[in-house]
């Protein structure tokens, strides 16, 4: 009887592996049924027997499961562990997945901390604005904080005109034009030059796209960058961009013989 219970050298029972890896016997049985981790051998008495190689495979499974992968995903990601190179590849894959998870969690933590600060600065509970801030954080929109300053009319206008994809595209183009305005300002490119007026045309096209022809939106856009409590470096950059934009648009409208800002005030 004692002989029948003896475990061959180099093998472990399902209970020993479960204890070693801090999982339940039922979990190992489930992985066996799912084809993820079958015992390397079965004793004459029908006991599942595992090796150290199986332990490494189990560690691979548990690591991927902890990262949120389904069992089917894990099954497709498992690679052979028959050579040192294959083991190294498996560990490298796990390390890369862990790195991605860490980056994702770090970004989620950053978004939560930012949202908390934005919520504290708002005067009332407004879940629509909270949601807008979260979406813009995920879009990597550096102007996400402006949302708390917009009134309901402006936010509804933005929501009605842009979805996530078009909104992301618009913000990328806006940021690119803002950076171009700063570069032209620093380079002292004349407002009435061909380069300056080409920029003015592109900038006004962007503004027209944003407003959709609704001139009531213009006065609200003029206030962007004037909010108190913004980052000083951002304010400095915004001041340069606004200064140059104002110069080139003055020339642009003068040549067109129109002034949409005056029309809006009339």
């Amino acid at each position: 009887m004692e002989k029948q219970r003896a475990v061959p050298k180099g093998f472990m029972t399902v209970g020993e592996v479960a204890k070693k890896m801090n999982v339940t016997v039922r979990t190992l049985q489930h992985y066996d049924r799912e084809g993820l981790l079958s015992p390397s051998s079965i004793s004459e008495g029908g006991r599942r027997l595992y090796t150290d190689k199986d332990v490494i495979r189990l560690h691979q499974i548990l690591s991927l499961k902890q990262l949120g992968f389904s069992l089917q995903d894990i099954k497709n990601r498992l690679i052979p562990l028959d050579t040192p190179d294959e083991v190294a590849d498996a560990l490298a894959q796990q390390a890369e997945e862990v790195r991605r998870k860490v980056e994702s969690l770090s970004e989620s933590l950053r978004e939560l901390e930012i949202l908390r600060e934005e919520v504290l600065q708002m005067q009332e509970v407004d879940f629509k604005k909270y949601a807008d801030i979260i979406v813009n954080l995920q879009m990597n929109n550096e102007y996400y904080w402006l949302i708390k300053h917009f009134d309901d009319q402006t936010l509804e206008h933005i929501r009605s005109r842009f979805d996530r994809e078009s909104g992301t595209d618009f913000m990328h183009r806006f940021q690119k034009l803002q950076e171009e305005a700063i570069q032209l300002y620093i380079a002292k490119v004349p407002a009435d030059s061909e380069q300056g007026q080409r920029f003015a045309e592109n900038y006004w096209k962007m503004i027209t796209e944003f407003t959709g022809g609704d001139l009531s939106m213009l006065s609200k856009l003029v206030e962007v960058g004037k909010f108190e409590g913004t980052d000083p470096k951002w304010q400095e950059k915004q001041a340069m961009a606004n200064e140059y934009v104002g110069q080139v648009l003055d020339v642009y409208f003068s040549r067109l013989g129109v002034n949409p800002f005056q029309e809006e005030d009339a």
Side-chain angles (χ1 to χ4, degrees), residues 132 135-144 147 157-176 206 209-210:
D132 286 335
V135 169
N136 278 270
L137 283 170
Q138 293 174 343
M139 289 163 53
N140 294 319
N141 175 11
E142 65 176 292
Y143 302 105
Y144 67 87
I147 291 171
H157 174 84
I158 295 171
R159 294 177 191 125
S160 67
R161 289 195 57 76
F162 300 99
D163 57 20
R164 186 185 182 98
E165 183 177 350
S166 62
T168 300
D169 176 67
F170 181 86
M171 286 309 307
H172 286 165
R173 287 186 285 127
F174 173 72
Q175 290 168 356
K176 186 176 180 181
M206 180 194 67
E209 179 184 347
F210 178 85

Side-chain angles (χ1 to χ4, degrees), residues 17-32:
V17 173
K19 184 176 181 181
K20 189 182 188 75
M21 299 300 291
N22 195 29
V23 297
T24 65
V25 170
R26 182 173 295 180
T27 295
L28 293 175
Q29 293 171 340
H30 181 60
Y31 289 168
D32 185 9

Side-chain angles (χ1 to χ4, degrees), residues 64 76 84 87 115 129 134 139 147 165 219 236 241 249:
L64 292 172
N76 295 332
V87 174
L115 181 60
K129 280 191 178 182
I134 290 173
M139 289 163 53
I147 291 171
E165 183 177 350
S219 60
E236 183 181 355
L249 286 182

